[in-house]
Each structure stands twice: as structure tokens, then as C-alpha cells.
Amino acid sequence: METNKVWFITGASRGMGLSLVKKLIIAGYNVAATSRKSQRLIDAVGHVEGPRFLPLEVDLTSEKSINEAFERTVAHFGKIDVLVNNAGYGIGGAVEELSQEEIKDSFEINVMAVIKTMQSAMPYFRQQKSGHIINISSIAGFAPGKGWAMYAATKYAVTGLSEVMAEDVKEFGVKVTVVAPGAFRTEFLEENSLVFAEKKIDGYTAVRSSHEKYAAMNGSQIGNPELLAQVFIDLVKNPNPPVRLYLGSDAYKRATEKVNLLSEELESNKYISYSTDFN
């Protein structure tokens, strides 16, 4: 039965992760979910009958903490079938405004945690010759917005990492999908999910305007997180899931515009590309 599958979801105490956990539990799946504070996760999910829900307090910057979470999950459920890397946060600012610590912290959660969880999951997936990894990138990982260079850098990394990972693990029967959502009506644009460079440099008016535009969008995003959660469930049922999946009409439109731009630039500079070949 599909509902015998065990899902492992990071960053599950709010937003997309929380919507997915709730929908999975209602549907009868087994769910292990992580948060920095397990009680916050328990409170957010609410009462769950039986052993189908395993809340885990995990430090995603710690390889040891991540490994222990997977060991506890397998000890509790007997296996893991799906890994969803949902944890992450937005970081805004011009490149010269961001400190090395701010940059390092964003890569630690948005990129390195994804790598660490995949490294922890793969031994189980290889042994059972099955599994599905879903990494949450962003439309910013393909068509980024002004003022979000470092966030785009982390999400580009997740996209590229996932594309190659999909090829590397295919022979083990493991599937990988990188999801690039547009704007969904979650807490992502609220203060607890966004970080801005502490240092502000005069003159970056376009960057400030971009940040103000995104802040004003909060609460009116076009994306429905409940529908997104169902897409994830359907994705895992799909015997041939896509490697790249853009979610939201806004993401689709931005991706289409970027594809057209890339095609135009490739063709207009084709003679330069060819000029570096040996004759």
C-alpha cells in the first residue's frame, strides 16, 4: 500500500513542510519530521493517534544530529522511503552588504543541510533499491529576483546538485526531484523566515524597492500550500517523476521568460561561442 511509505521531512514546523506533514498524516502515511524545537512541531501538528508521527528535534548544521534522526526513524518505522528537504530561509541584500557570517549561515542551512541529509539517507535507499528525494529549491534557483543574489546562489546550488544526484543514483532505483516553487501563501515572507543584511549601503535603491515589493506581497501570494502538498504526494506515486518541477503559475511564467532569454542570448552570441574552437 502507498500509505505504508515512510516520509522524512525537514523544516516541518511551519509553511510548506507543515502543510505536507498534516496532509500525509490525514492520508494515513508514516511521517518523521524535523524542527529545531520538537515541541513547536508537536504543537503545530496537533494530536496524532498511534505511532504514525515521529517528531524529531534536529540541528541541521550537525552531521551527528542528522544521522541520529535517520537512525531513530528507521528504528521507529523500519525504513525510510521519501526524503523531503524543505528547511531553508530567504536572505536579502546586495552582495557587498552581506557579511561572511551571513553568507556562511545561509549556505549551511539552504545547501549543506541538503547534502548532509542526502548522505544520511542514501545508505538506506541503496540497500532497499528504492527511495525518492525531493529537494525544495525555488524559482530563484533558475530565474532570480533583484536583491536576492545570495538566496539565488543557494537555490541554484540545490538545483544543480539535484540534477546530477538524479543521474548518480538512478542505477539504485532512487529518484530525485528538485521542486522550484513560486510565491506560496506561507510564512516565508515574514520576519522569522527572512534575513536581511545587517549592513545597508546607500545607493542600492533598486534592491530596497525589490525587498519592499516582496514584503508587500505577504498574505496575497498566488500559491496554495495545501495544493502543493498534494502535488508532493502525487509526485511520489508517479513511476516516472520529473527531475525538475516548477510549481505555481508565477514560477512557470518566470521560468518560461528565462528560457526564452537564454535561447536569445545563445543565438545572438553563437559566433563568439564557436570562435574559440580549433580550426
Side-chain angles (χ1 to χ4, degrees):
M1 289 177 61
E2 284 292 333
T3 53
N4 286 335
K5 287 187 181 296
V6 177
W7 291 61
F8 186 103
I9 304 164
T10 69
S13 62
R14 63 175 185 258
M16 295 179 186
L18 180 58
S19 295
L20 178 57
V21 168
K22 287 182 174 180
K23 189 169 282 289
L24 286 167
I25 290 171
I26 290 170
Y29 288 90
N30 297 309
V31 181
T34 82
S35 179
R36 284 175 292 181
K37 298 294 180 183
S38 59
Q39 191 57 53
R40 177 177 179 175
L41 177 58
I42 293 167
D43 293 342
V45 172
H47 178 68
V48 179
E49 291 286 349
R52 291 186 295 111
F53 175 51
L54 179 64
L56 298 164
E57 189 165 308
V58 179
D59 176 4
L60 290 174
T61 68
S62 166
E63 185 177 355
K64 180 175 181 289
S65 181
I66 291 170
N67 284 335
E68 287 174 351
F70 277 90
E71 289 168 3
R72 284 186 60 192
T73 301
V74 173
H76 185 82
F77 292 117
K79 61 173 183 171
I80 297 175
D81 297 292
V82 185
L83 165 62
V84 180
N85 273 307
N86 172 70
Y89 66 91
I91 180 165
V95 171
E96 68 170 315
E97 293 178 319
L98 291 157
S99 70
Q100 292 302 305
E101 183 178 2
E102 289 169 328
I103 294 167
K104 179 178 176 294
D105 288 347
S106 67
F107 270 87
E108 191 67 47
I109 295 299
N110 290 359
V111 181
M112 295 308 300
V114 174
I115 295 171
K116 290 171 185 173
T117 57
M118 291 197 299
Q119 287 176 328
S120 292
M122 275 308 301
Y124 300 107
F125 287 171
R126 277 191 294 104
Q127 184 177 20
Q128 66 197 27
K129 299 295 183 184
S130 66
H132 196 152
I133 298 169
I134 301 174
N135 291 331
I136 311 302
S137 177
S138 166
I139 185 57
F142 181 63
K146 191 179 300 178
W148 304 94
M150 210 53 61
Y151 179 64
T154 65
K155 292 305 183 178
Y156 262 90
V158 170
T159 299
L161 172 68
S162 302
E163 289 179 339
V164 179
M165 185 77 174
E167 294 299 317
D168 290 349
V169 302
K170 188 183 295 183
E171 63 185 298
F172 302 113
V174 179
K175 303 176 180 70
V176 180
T177 300
V178 58
V179 177
F184 277 76
R185 207 168 297 179
T186 67
E187 298 96 330
F188 184 76
L189 293 179
E190 296 180 2
E191 290 182 3
N192 58 1
S193 294
L194 280 180
V195 172
F196 292 96
E198 287 190 16
K199 182 172 72 173
K200 302 289 190 297
I201 298 175
D202 291 341
Y204 279 108
T205 54
V207 168
R208 303 291 170 259
S209 295
S210 175
H211 293 166
E212 290 170 5
K213 181 189 77 173
Y214 278 91
M217 190 192 302
N218 190 33
S220 62
Q221 300 96 318
I222 195 169
N224 184 334
E226 298 300 319
L227 297 179
L228 178 141
Q230 186 59 51
V231 166
F232 284 3
I233 294 172
D234 294 340
L235 188 64
V236 171
K237 294 178 182 178
N238 187 343
N240 187 31
V243 173
R244 291 158 292 271
L245 181 61
Y246 295 90
L247 289 181
S249 59
D250 54 342
Y252 180 88
K253 290 171 184 174
R254 282 172 62 178
T256 300
E257 290 171 0
K258 181 64 178 285
V259 168
N260 291 337
L261 176 63
L262 289 174
S263 296
E264 291 170 8
E265 287 187 340
L266 273 171
E267 288 307 309
S268 65
N269 294 291
K270 181 178 178 180
Y271 74 98
I272 300 177
S273 300
Y274 276 61
S275 72
T276 57
D277 291 354
F278 282 108
N279 294 323

